Amino acid sequence: MASSQGTADYLLSQIATAGKVSARRMFGEYAIYCDDKTVALLCDEQLFVKKLPVVAEFLGPCEEGFPYPGAKPWFVISGERWEDHEWMTQLVKLIAAALPAPKQKTSRKKR
């Protein structure tokens, strides 16, 4: 079951003050970005956030899951938490701060 645009829009509205947030549709699901860094995945209407030590400390005991077959485990954020704008914003800021800056893409010259 693919995630809906409405769900992605709702999540973006909840984390809008975390930084420059956006979502990109990928294979029927969504990657959620903050300041050009992938901070979460929305897959099958479930929110998965990167499994980082700082996130584990912030979340405490948390369910883990796999956003797609063959993926490494990510933390699952329950739907009840989505409604807490301040908590979600803090979580996304924390993840974005812990991730390295995205690599600059090099352009290929056409021959």
Side-chain angles (χ1 to χ4, degrees), residues 14-18 84-94:
Q14 288 297 89
I15 61 171
T17 58
D84 187 342
H85 160 74
E86 291 177 13
W87 187 87
M88 288 288 292
T89 299
Q90 188 176 1
L91 174 63
V92 168
K93 282 182 176 181
L94 187 71

Side-chain angles (χ1 to χ4, degrees), residues 39-96:
V39 294
L41 297 175
L42 177 62
C43 301
D44 293 330
E45 298 291 318
Q46 287 187 298
L47 183 63
F48 297 87
V49 296
K50 290 211 174 211
K51 190 175 173 188
L52 302 169
V54 69
V55 176
E57 187 176 310
F58 178 78
L59 295 176
C62 187
E63 178 185 353
E64 293 181 16
F66 301 91
Y68 53 89
K72 293 180 181 179
W74 290 50
F75 291 125
V76 178
I77 305 302
S78 68
E80 299 88 47
R81 287 292 204 171
W82 297 7
E83 296 181 24
D84 187 342
H85 160 74
E86 291 177 13
W87 187 87
M88 288 288 292
T89 299
Q90 188 176 1
L91 174 63
V92 168
K93 282 182 176 181
L94 187 71
I95 296 168

Side-chain angles (χ1 to χ4, degrees), residues 1-36:
M1 170 175 106
S3 298
S4 71
Q5 178 70 50
T7 303
D9 291 343
Y10 174 74
L11 286 169
L12 289 177
S13 72
Q14 288 297 89
I15 61 171
T17 58
K20 186 179 100 179
V21 296
S22 62
R24 185 185 319 168
R25 190 168 175 86
M26 300 177 135
F27 308 107
E29 305 299 350
Y30 292 87
I32 309 292
Y33 297 88
C34 180
D35 299 329
D36 298 321

